[in-house]
Amino acid sequence: SSPSGVDDGSFNEDNYNGILSFIGKHPSSTVTPVKEPTGDTAAAVQAVADIVADYDVIVCCGFQFAGITQVAQDNPDVAFILVDAFPADAEGQDTEVDNIYAMQFKEQESGFFAGMAAALETKSNKVAVVNGIAYPSNVNYQYGFECGVKYVNGTEGMNVEVVELPSYAGTDVTGANVGGNYVGNFSDEATGKVLGNALIAEGVDILFVAAGGSGNGVFTAAKEAEGVKVIGCDVDQYDDGANGDSNIVLTSGLKVMHDTVYNVLNEVKDGSFKGANVTLTAADDATGFVSEEGRCQLTAEAIEKINAAQALLKEGKIVPAANFNGVTPETFTW
């Protein structure tokens, strides 16, 4: 896993839950959580190489593991599940490998729903997204959020501002400045809280938190403030929002990883496993948002409007910006 570990309440934990579900059906199987503590791409690949001989399957959680291609090719009897990236060749280009099932998601879709939710529910007309590191999946969340706010502004005649602090701007994998609010790590709760407090001081009253374990610090900042809500990420984080008799979680943007991890492990078990590079979308029910009563605080009107946009998105009539899809929040239209 990435530095935030398998109990981060978000990205890593959702993948881990898919593994635990498989073990629940196949109790003779076991899992060993291995946390790569730095988030560095070379260190991530080395961490996999260090343990590859000991396991039948290795689930690699995060873009930083994209470079496992050679390790996988050198160990053809080991199955790999790569989450949030496709395997890269020596030149850094995407490639397919027989023993790597790699999944990416259109995080910009979940980010779009989060942006709509924030814009529809803000009281201060100032919202923000907090991210961990500007890997493509995290930039996708940011760009999608910005597009969701822009969509609401355009369709509802609103003027909601997405607040960005220049000192926390992100730099993506190509070296481009993508703006946003980046903690710089997925396991730095202290900086997450500092950043959360800084945004709240700017008048932000709804924060979309896509920062792994660093996001826990943003949650704390929101709990200590008045009238501030957060939008969870990857999984339903409503329980994490409990704050005395109240709850700070407005909704959560979803990326459904556990089902795919579970299904691919079953394919390994029954012998049908094969490598593939797959991009999962709202049309696959792999992205979305929490709208269930008791698990969110969205108004019925907001849910209706987000559902309508979700249907248009599934039809391809709304295409939010992503890190590398040729659309930016500035050029996004519908």
Side-chain angles (χ1 to χ4, degrees), residues 13-211:
E13 188 166 332
D14 192 53
N15 286 289
Y16 194 59
N17 284 340
I19 299 170
L20 296 180
S21 294
F22 173 81
I23 291 174
K25 298 288 186 180
H26 304 283
S28 63
S29 298
T30 60
V31 60
T32 302
V34 178
K35 178 166 67 176
E36 197 294 299
T38 69
D40 175 73
T41 53
V45 173
Q46 187 60 50
V48 175
D50 289 344
I51 65 170
V52 66
D54 300 327
Y55 298 97
D56 303 303
V57 188
I58 299 178
V59 182
C60 299
C61 305
F63 179 84
Q64 67 270 32
F65 292 100
I68 62 169
T69 299
Q70 192 61 53
V71 177
Q73 291 173 333
D74 290 343
N75 295 273
D77 294 332
V78 179
F80 294 83
I81 301 173
L82 177 60
V83 186
D84 263 7
F86 292 155
D89 63 18
E91 285 73 45
Q93 301 300 309
D94 290 348
T95 186
E96 291 197 7
V97 181
D98 290 343
N99 57 330
I100 300 178
Y101 181 96
M103 66 184 97
Q104 290 189 17
F105 296 79
K106 290 190 174 180
E107 295 89 359
Q108 63 269 25
E109 297 177 343
S110 298
F112 185 85
F113 306 139
M116 284 193 68
L120 289 167
E121 299 285 7
T122 180
K123 303 295 190 296
S124 68
N125 279 342
K126 291 185 176 183
V127 300
V129 55
V130 177
N131 296 90
I133 301 174
Y135 290 143
S137 55
N138 236 214
V139 177
N140 289 349
Y141 273 130
Q142 175 203 336
Y143 280 7
F145 180 84
E146 293 171 358
C147 291
V149 174
K150 185 176 182 180
Y151 181 78
V152 169
N153 282 340
T155 57
E156 299 292 324
M158 298 176 67
N159 190 30
V160 178
E161 176 188 356
V162 178
V163 177
E164 297 184 341
L165 303 177
S167 59
Y168 288 97
T171 301
D172 75 6
V173 294
T174 70
N177 185 329
V178 296
N181 302 291
Y182 284 84
V183 176
N185 199 298
F186 289 112
S187 59
D188 187 351
E189 291 189 27
T191 302
K193 184 178 181 182
V194 169
L195 177 50
N197 281 329
L199 289 165
I200 292 167
E202 292 289 324
V204 171
D205 68 344
I206 299 179
L207 299 140
F208 177 39
V209 186

